[in-house]
PDB file of all heavy atoms in Angstrom:
ATOM      1  N   GLY A 114     152.430 -89.137 200.311  1.00  0.00           N
ATOM      2  CA  GLY A 114     152.803 -88.257 201.421  1.00  0.00           C
ATOM      3  C   GLY A 114     153.941 -88.839 202.247  1.00  0.00           C
ATOM      4  O   GLY A 114     154.851 -88.123 202.676  1.00  0.00           O
ATOM      5  N   MET A 115     153.907 -90.141 202.467  1.00  0.00           N
ATOM      6  CA  MET A 115     154.979 -90.797 203.211  1.00  0.00           C
ATOM      7  C   MET A 115     156.286 -90.752 202.417  1.00  0.00           C
ATOM      8  O   MET A 115     157.360 -90.598 203.001  1.00  0.00           O
ATOM      9  CB  MET A 115     154.596 -92.248 203.522  1.00  0.00           C
ATOM     10  CG  MET A 115     153.463 -92.378 204.517  1.00  0.00           C
ATOM     11  SD  MET A 115     152.759 -94.028 204.588  1.00  0.00           S
ATOM     12  CE  MET A 115     154.146 -94.986 205.148  1.00  0.00           C
ATOM     13  N   ARG A 116     156.174 -90.873 201.117  1.00  0.00           N
ATOM     14  CA  ARG A 116     157.371 -90.805 200.276  1.00  0.00           C
ATOM     15  C   ARG A 116     157.995 -89.410 200.352  1.00  0.00           C
ATOM     16  O   ARG A 116     159.214 -89.264 200.431  1.00  0.00           O
ATOM     17  CB  ARG A 116     156.999 -91.149 198.834  1.00  0.00           C
ATOM     18  CG  ARG A 116     158.177 -91.278 197.919  1.00  0.00           C
ATOM     19  CD  ARG A 116     157.739 -91.763 196.564  1.00  0.00           C
ATOM     20  NE  ARG A 116     158.876 -91.959 195.708  1.00  0.00           N
ATOM     21  CZ  ARG A 116     158.821 -92.459 194.513  1.00  0.00           C
ATOM     22  NH1 ARG A 116     157.659 -92.830 194.004  1.00  0.00           N
ATOM     23  NH2 ARG A 116     159.903 -92.597 193.789  1.00  0.00           N
ATOM     24  N   ALA A 117     157.145 -88.381 200.323  1.00  0.00           N
ATOM     25  CA  ALA A 117     157.648 -87.009 200.408  1.00  0.00           C
ATOM     26  C   ALA A 117     158.361 -86.757 201.740  1.00  0.00           C
ATOM     27  O   ALA A 117     159.319 -85.987 201.795  1.00  0.00           O
ATOM     28  CB  ALA A 117     156.500 -86.024 200.220  1.00  0.00           C
ATOM     29  N   TRP A 118     157.886 -87.402 202.797  1.00  0.00           N
ATOM     30  CA  TRP A 118     158.488 -87.209 204.120  1.00  0.00           C
ATOM     31  C   TRP A 118     159.449 -88.329 204.499  1.00  0.00           C
ATOM     32  O   TRP A 118     159.810 -88.484 205.666  1.00  0.00           O
ATOM     33  CB  TRP A 118     157.378 -87.047 205.168  1.00  0.00           C
ATOM     34  CG  TRP A 118     156.715 -85.723 205.028  1.00  0.00           C
ATOM     35  CD1 TRP A 118     155.575 -85.433 204.320  1.00  0.00           C
ATOM     36  CD2 TRP A 118     157.174 -84.490 205.556  1.00  0.00           C
ATOM     37  NE1 TRP A 118     155.305 -84.101 204.395  1.00  0.00           N
ATOM     38  CE2 TRP A 118     156.275 -83.488 205.145  1.00  0.00           C
ATOM     39  CE3 TRP A 118     158.267 -84.125 206.343  1.00  0.00           C
ATOM     40  CZ2 TRP A 118     156.432 -82.154 205.488  1.00  0.00           C
ATOM     41  CZ3 TRP A 118     158.418 -82.789 206.681  1.00  0.00           C
ATOM     42  CH2 TRP A 118     157.502 -81.837 206.257  1.00  0.00           C
ATOM     43  N   ARG A 119     159.842 -89.145 203.514  1.00  0.00           N
ATOM     44  CA  ARG A 119     160.825 -90.214 203.675  1.00  0.00           C
ATOM     45  C   ARG A 119     160.459 -91.192 204.789  1.00  0.00           C
ATOM     46  O   ARG A 119     161.282 -91.537 205.648  1.00  0.00           O
ATOM     47  CB  ARG A 119     162.225 -89.639 203.912  1.00  0.00           C
ATOM     48  CG  ARG A 119     162.771 -88.853 202.772  1.00  0.00           C
ATOM     49  CD  ARG A 119     164.243 -88.500 202.912  1.00  0.00           C
ATOM     50  NE  ARG A 119     164.798 -88.498 204.239  1.00  0.00           N
ATOM     51  CZ  ARG A 119     165.003 -87.410 204.982  1.00  0.00           C
ATOM     52  NH1 ARG A 119     164.677 -86.220 204.522  1.00  0.00           N
ATOM     53  NH2 ARG A 119     165.550 -87.504 206.178  1.00  0.00           N
ATOM     54  N   MET A 120     159.221 -91.665 204.765  1.00  0.00           N
ATOM     55  CA  MET A 120     158.790 -92.675 205.722  1.00  0.00           C
ATOM     56  C   MET A 120     158.475 -93.956 204.978  1.00  0.00           C
ATOM     57  O   MET A 120     158.062 -93.927 203.822  1.00  0.00           O
ATOM     58  CB  MET A 120     157.558 -92.199 206.483  1.00  0.00           C
ATOM     59  CG  MET A 120     157.816 -91.009 207.368  1.00  0.00           C
ATOM     60  SD  MET A 120     156.415 -90.560 208.394  1.00  0.00           S
ATOM     61  CE  MET A 120     155.204 -90.107 207.199  1.00  0.00           C
ATOM     62  N   LEU A 121     158.644 -95.080 205.657  1.00  0.00           N
ATOM     63  CA  LEU A 121     158.367 -96.383 205.079  1.00  0.00           C
ATOM     64  C   LEU A 121     157.606 -97.203 206.109  1.00  0.00           C
ATOM     65  O   LEU A 121     157.984 -97.230 207.283  1.00  0.00           O
ATOM     66  CB  LEU A 121     159.672 -97.085 204.690  1.00  0.00           C
ATOM     67  CG  LEU A 121     159.555 -98.454 204.042  1.00  0.00           C
ATOM     68  CD1 LEU A 121     158.895 -98.342 202.662  1.00  0.00           C
ATOM     69  CD2 LEU A 121     160.918 -99.105 203.915  1.00  0.00           C
ATOM     70  N   LEU A 122     156.559 -97.856 205.663  1.00  0.00           N
ATOM     71  CA  LEU A 122     155.751 -98.699 206.537  1.00  0.00           C
ATOM     72  C   LEU A 122     156.128-100.151 206.291  1.00  0.00           C
ATOM     73  O   LEU A 122     156.042-100.639 205.162  1.00  0.00           O
ATOM     74  CB  LEU A 122     154.269 -98.472 206.255  1.00  0.00           C
ATOM     75  CG  LEU A 122     153.285 -99.274 207.085  1.00  0.00           C
ATOM     76  CD1 LEU A 122     153.430 -98.936 208.566  1.00  0.00           C
ATOM     77  CD2 LEU A 122     151.870 -98.998 206.628  1.00  0.00           C
ATOM     78  N   VAL A 123     156.566-100.827 207.339  1.00  0.00           N
ATOM     79  CA  VAL A 123     156.980-102.225 207.243  1.00  0.00           C
ATOM     80  C   VAL A 123     156.455-102.981 208.458  1.00  0.00           C
ATOM     81  O   VAL A 123     156.010-102.378 209.435  1.00  0.00           O
ATOM     82  CB  VAL A 123     158.523-102.367 207.175  1.00  0.00           C
ATOM     83  CG1 VAL A 123     159.068-101.806 205.874  1.00  0.00           C
ATOM     84  CG2 VAL A 123     159.193-101.702 208.365  1.00  0.00           C
ATOM     85  N   THR A 124     156.534-104.302 208.396  1.00  0.00           N
ATOM     86  CA  THR A 124     156.181-105.112 209.554  1.00  0.00           C
ATOM     87  C   THR A 124     157.284-104.968 210.598  1.00  0.00           C
ATOM     88  O   THR A 124     158.331-104.388 210.337  1.00  0.00           O
ATOM     89  CB  THR A 124     156.036-106.597 209.166  1.00  0.00           C
ATOM     90  OG1 THR A 124     157.313-107.076 208.734  1.00  0.00           O
ATOM     91  CG2 THR A 124     155.003-106.794 208.067  1.00  0.00           C
ATOM     92  N   ALA A 125     157.051-105.531 211.751  1.00  0.00           N
ATOM     93  CA  ALA A 125     158.065-105.483 212.820  1.00  0.00           C
ATOM     94  C   ALA A 125     159.361-106.154 212.374  1.00  0.00           C
ATOM     95  O   ALA A 125     160.444-105.803 212.844  1.00  0.00           O
ATOM     96  CB  ALA A 125     157.515-106.150 214.078  1.00  0.00           C
ATOM     97  N   GLU A 126     159.254-107.109 211.433  1.00  0.00           N
ATOM     98  CA  GLU A 126     160.433-107.807 210.920  1.00  0.00           C
ATOM     99  C   GLU A 126     161.094-107.059 209.765  1.00  0.00           C
ATOM    100  O   GLU A 126     162.113-107.493 209.240  1.00  0.00           O
ATOM    101  CB  GLU A 126     160.054-109.220 210.448  1.00  0.00           C
ATOM    102  CG  GLU A 126     159.579-110.140 211.563  1.00  0.00           C
ATOM    103  CD  GLU A 126     158.123-109.897 211.943  1.00  0.00           C
ATOM    104  OE1 GLU A 126     157.320-109.515 211.061  1.00  0.00           O
ATOM    105  OE2 GLU A 126     157.795-110.071 213.120  1.00  0.00           O
ATOM    106  N   GLY A 127     160.476-105.971 209.300  1.00  0.00           N
ATOM    107  CA  GLY A 127     161.036-105.186 208.212  1.00  0.00           C
ATOM    108  C   GLY A 127     160.576-105.601 206.832  1.00  0.00           C
ATOM    109  O   GLY A 127     161.143-105.178 205.826  1.00  0.00           O
ATOM    110  N   THR A 128     159.545-106.424 206.750  1.00  0.00           N
ATOM    111  CA  THR A 128     159.034-106.888 205.457  1.00  0.00           C
ATOM    112  C   THR A 128     157.807-106.073 205.045  1.00  0.00           C
ATOM    113  O   THR A 128     157.167-105.426 205.888  1.00  0.00           O
ATOM    114  CB  THR A 128     158.658-108.381 205.524  1.00  0.00           C
ATOM    115  OG1 THR A 128     157.657-108.563 206.542  1.00  0.00           O
ATOM    116  CG2 THR A 128     159.872-109.241 205.867  1.00  0.00           C
ATOM    117  N   PRO A 129     157.434-106.117 203.771  1.00  0.00           N
ATOM    118  CA  PRO A 129     156.244-105.390 203.321  1.00  0.00           C
ATOM    119  C   PRO A 129     154.964-105.946 203.963  1.00  0.00           C
ATOM    120  O   PRO A 129     154.920-107.110 204.370  1.00  0.00           O
ATOM    121  CB  PRO A 129     156.227-105.632 201.805  1.00  0.00           C
ATOM    122  CG  PRO A 129     157.613-106.021 201.452  1.00  0.00           C
ATOM    123  CD  PRO A 129     158.173-106.711 202.660  1.00  0.00           C
ATOM    124  N   LEU A 130     153.940-105.113 204.019  1.00  0.00           N
ATOM    125  CA  LEU A 130     152.663-105.510 204.609  1.00  0.00           C
ATOM    126  C   LEU A 130     151.884-106.418 203.672  1.00  0.00           C
ATOM    127  O   LEU A 130     151.944-106.266 202.458  1.00  0.00           O
ATOM    128  CB  LEU A 130     151.808-104.279 204.908  1.00  0.00           C
ATOM    129  CG  LEU A 130     152.020-103.576 206.242  1.00  0.00           C
ATOM    130  CD1 LEU A 130     153.387-102.973 206.345  1.00  0.00           C
ATOM    131  CD2 LEU A 130     150.964-102.526 206.443  1.00  0.00           C
TER     132      LEU A 130
END
Side-chain angles (χ1 to χ4, degrees):
M115 291 166 63
R116 187 174 183 175
W118 288 94
R119 296 190 338 260
M120 294 186 296
L121 181 67
L122 180 62
V123 292
T124 64
E126 295 80 32
T128 59
L130 274 65

